Amino acid sequence: MGKQSWKPGNMLYPLPAALVSVADLEGQKNVFTVAWTGTVCSDPPMVSISVRPERYSYYMIKETGEFVINLTTEELAYATDYCGVVSGRDVDKFDKMHLTPVKADIVKAPLIKESPVNIECTVKDIKALGSHDMFIAQVVAVHADEKYMDGKNKFHFDKARPIVYSHGSYMSLGRKIGTFGYSVRKK
């Protein structure tokens, strides 16, 4: 069998399915789902999220320059989907999905208590790219749930059963098959 040639499209899958929490200047909070997210730089630590300008949370990020990326799990899959298809204009998604907002250390946007990892971010640049604007942000704080740490204080994200998004489907991650550098380590 050969390969089919398709029109250009985003085929970089799977992607993290993240819950992004925000707040406006008056303290009105919202949470929405983003799959267009990723690492931009490690020093300084920077990430990006891409958001459609018509999304309810877009103006909150634009006016405050802050947001929190909350990583998701199998347990959060239903809420992750719901927060991506229902607008915060119409419903309080924190309340409806029983998500607990927690005060962040630095930004005004809340953390989501049920998330295993929360990444506080401050926007450094915005790039209008077409259907989405990319918010490039510096990571200013990271919170990790202690229930996923071992006796040596090592975080085990696999125990949280993280999920990813691919072509309209949420999927759990499989078993670990190696660690960084395992291909060149002496046996």
Side-chain angles (χ1 to χ4, degrees), residues 121-159:
C121 304
T122 57
V123 176
K124 296 300 177 192
D125 197 8
I126 303 170
K127 300 280 186 196
L129 299 172
S131 63
H132 292 67
D133 286 1
M134 178 186 287
F135 292 90
I136 300 168
Q138 185 164 351
V139 174
V140 294
V142 177
H143 306 266
D145 193 324
E146 292 175 339
K147 73 179 175 184
Y148 302 111
M149 295 200 194
D150 63 20
K152 296 180 182 175
N153 221 26
K154 181 179 178 187
F155 186 76
H156 294 275
F157 189 56
D158 56 318
K159 292 185 180 185

Side-chain angles (χ1 to χ4, degrees), residues 12-18 20 33-38 49-50 164-166 170:
L12 187 59
Y13 286 109
L15 301 163
V20 174
T33 303
V34 171
W36 302 155
T37 185
I49 62 170
S50 292
V164 294
Y165 178 82
S166 182
Y170 301 97

Side-chain angles (χ1 to χ4, degrees), residues 59-75:
Y59 91 90
M60 294 180 178
I61 299 170
K62 192 122 183 201
E63 100 176 346
T64 64
E66 301 176 342
F67 59 88
V68 177
I69 297 173
N70 303 276
L71 300 185
T72 57
T73 64
E74 288 178 20
E75 190 174 304

Side-chain angles (χ1 to χ4, degrees), residues 5-66:
S5 182
W6 293 353
K7 68 178 182 162
N10 293 329
M11 293 298 295
L12 187 59
Y13 286 109
L15 301 163
L19 288 169
V20 174
S21 48
V22 296
D24 65 15
L25 293 175
E26 285 76 47
Q28 179 67 36
K29 66 188 178 323
N30 192 42
V31 56
F32 69 111
T33 303
V34 171
W36 302 155
T37 185
T39 298
V40 173
C41 185
S42 55
D43 188 17
M46 297 187 73
V47 295
S48 70
I49 62 170
S50 292
V51 182
R52 290 180 181 270
E54 61 269 17
R55 296 287 300 259
Y56 177 65
S57 293
Y58 178 91
Y59 91 90
M60 294 180 178
I61 299 170
K62 192 122 183 201
E63 100 176 346
T64 64
E66 301 176 342

Side-chain angles (χ1 to χ4, degrees), residues 73-182:
T73 64
E74 288 178 20
E75 190 174 304
L76 289 169
Y78 186 85
T80 302
D81 183 63
Y82 184 88
C83 291
V85 296
V86 174
S87 176
R89 286 181 187 96
D90 306 320
V91 66
D92 179 341
K93 293 184 270 185
F94 277 97
D95 183 55
K96 184 77 173 174
M97 291 292 100
H98 308 289
L99 298 172
T100 310
V102 176
K103 186 176 179 348
D105 288 348
I106 297 172
V107 303
K108 300 280 188 290
L111 313 176
I112 297 174
K113 180 180 179 181
E114 294 77 12
S115 172
V117 176
N118 318 94
I119 305 166
E120 295 185 49
C121 304
T122 57
V123 176
K124 296 300 177 192
D125 197 8
I126 303 170
K127 300 280 186 196
L129 299 172
S131 63
H132 292 67
D133 286 1
M134 178 186 287
F135 292 90
I136 300 168
Q138 185 164 351
V139 174
V140 294
V142 177
H143 306 266
D145 193 324
E146 292 175 339
K147 73 179 175 184
Y148 302 111
M149 295 200 194
D150 63 20
K152 296 180 182 175
N153 221 26
K154 181 179 178 187
F155 186 76
H156 294 275
F157 189 56
D158 56 318
K159 292 185 180 185
R161 299 186 344 253
I163 61 170
V164 294
Y165 178 82
S166 182
H167 278 300
S169 297
Y170 301 97
M171 297 182 282
S172 60
L173 292 178
R175 62 184 176 80
K176 180 168 60 171
I177 58 171
T179 58
F180 180 76
Y182 83 105

